[in-house]
Amino acid sequence: VFPLVNAWGFGPQRVSAQPDSNDIKNILPCVGSGKLHIDANHLVKDLPCVKIDVNGIAQGYSVDVIAGFLEEKGVKNYLVEIGGELRIKGYKQPFGRKFQIGIEAPADNSFDEPILQKIVELDKGAITTSGNYRKYHSNGGKTVAHLMDPTTGYPFQNDMISATVYAKDAITADGYDNALMGMGLKNALQFLKHHKSMEAYFIYRNEKGVISDTATKGFYKLFKK
């Protein structure tokens, strides 16, 4: 989706205006994972214009690399965090308690003081969050979020505000939190019923536009008692 990320002003290149329908039509042939394939140890682009945005998994991957290094050194208790993506093993010292992780409530803008929506307690696994309330800009009174729909070429417009995913490692959680955001709440919950290795917590707007939250059955077990 990198061409879309760039076109909508969330990439390294500055844009003077947002793309119109003709721009999107020209970009879409260069978008989509179906235009990539694996050949031995190489990832191959089927078209030269295809470009990859690894921002969605870079932090999760980096967290796992550091966690792996710590385990190689025999560290039994750790919390690794990069950009809000975390991996945990063991217990907080010196008291031997589970690590406590706060999940932020949606803020009106990036300068607001963070408010914790929920607190989870973990002694293993990874937890990451994707949300559309931090990375966005406004255009003509309309909010444009940074998560791109590769099928339409436009930012996702659905009921989701944030998705927090718990998985065995950070790259898995980080890889799926954006995807779950794009699915919308109903489809995301249905998807997780068939992927038992992950649990998730969602903040969303209900039918009346009121901010609400829900979680999978397994994620409820992680909340601080």
Side-chain angles (χ1 to χ4, degrees), residues 104-120:
E104 281 188 24
D108 290 333
N109 60 67
S110 59
F111 299 103
D112 286 346
E113 189 70 22
I115 299 173
L116 295 184
Q117 179 95 356
K118 297 287 185 181
I119 296 176
V120 297

Side-chain angles (χ1 to χ4, degrees), residues 26-178:
N26 291 330
I27 292 172
L28 279 178
C30 303
V31 172
S33 59
K35 298 175 177 66
L36 299 163
H37 68 272
I38 296 175
D39 183 5
N41 292 325
H42 296 84
L43 184 63
V44 181
K45 302 191 299 181
D46 296 332
L47 296 171
C49 64
V50 173
K51 294 184 179 180
I52 302 172
D53 178 7
V54 297
N55 188 46
I57 59 170
Q59 292 174 336
Y61 168 76
S62 301
V63 165
D64 286 340
V65 169
I66 296 172
F69 173 80
L70 293 176
E71 294 194 14
E72 287 179 3
K73 299 299 181 181
V75 177
K76 298 180 180 179
N77 304 287
Y78 62 77
L79 184 154
V80 179
E81 182 270 339
I82 299 176
E85 321 294 37
L86 304 102
R87 183 163 165 178
I88 295 100
K89 183 178 181 181
Y91 299 88
K92 188 175 181 180
Q93 302 303 311
F95 303 108
R97 298 170 182 165
K98 289 184 178 181
F99 290 97
Q100 294 186 357
I101 310 300
I103 301 173
E104 281 188 24
D108 290 333
N109 60 67
S110 59
F111 299 103
D112 286 346
E113 189 70 22
I115 299 173
L116 295 184
Q117 179 95 356
K118 297 287 185 181
I119 296 176
V120 297
E121 293 184 313
L122 303 174
D123 58 9
K124 63 179 178 179
I127 191 163
T128 70
T129 297
S130 174
N132 57 21
Y133 55 91
R134 288 293 185 189
K135 292 182 180 179
Y136 67 90
H137 51 244
S138 298
N139 180 47
K142 186 177 181 180
T143 298
V144 178
H146 73 292
L147 297 175
M148 298 294 139
D149 186 340
T151 61
T152 67
Y154 291 84
F156 284 114
Q157 295 288 332
N158 57 31
D159 51 359
M160 301 286 261
I161 296 175
S162 72
T164 298
V165 179
Y166 173 75
K168 65 177 181 178
D169 52 38
I171 195 170
T172 299
D174 209 10
Y176 277 99
D177 55 15
N178 285 342

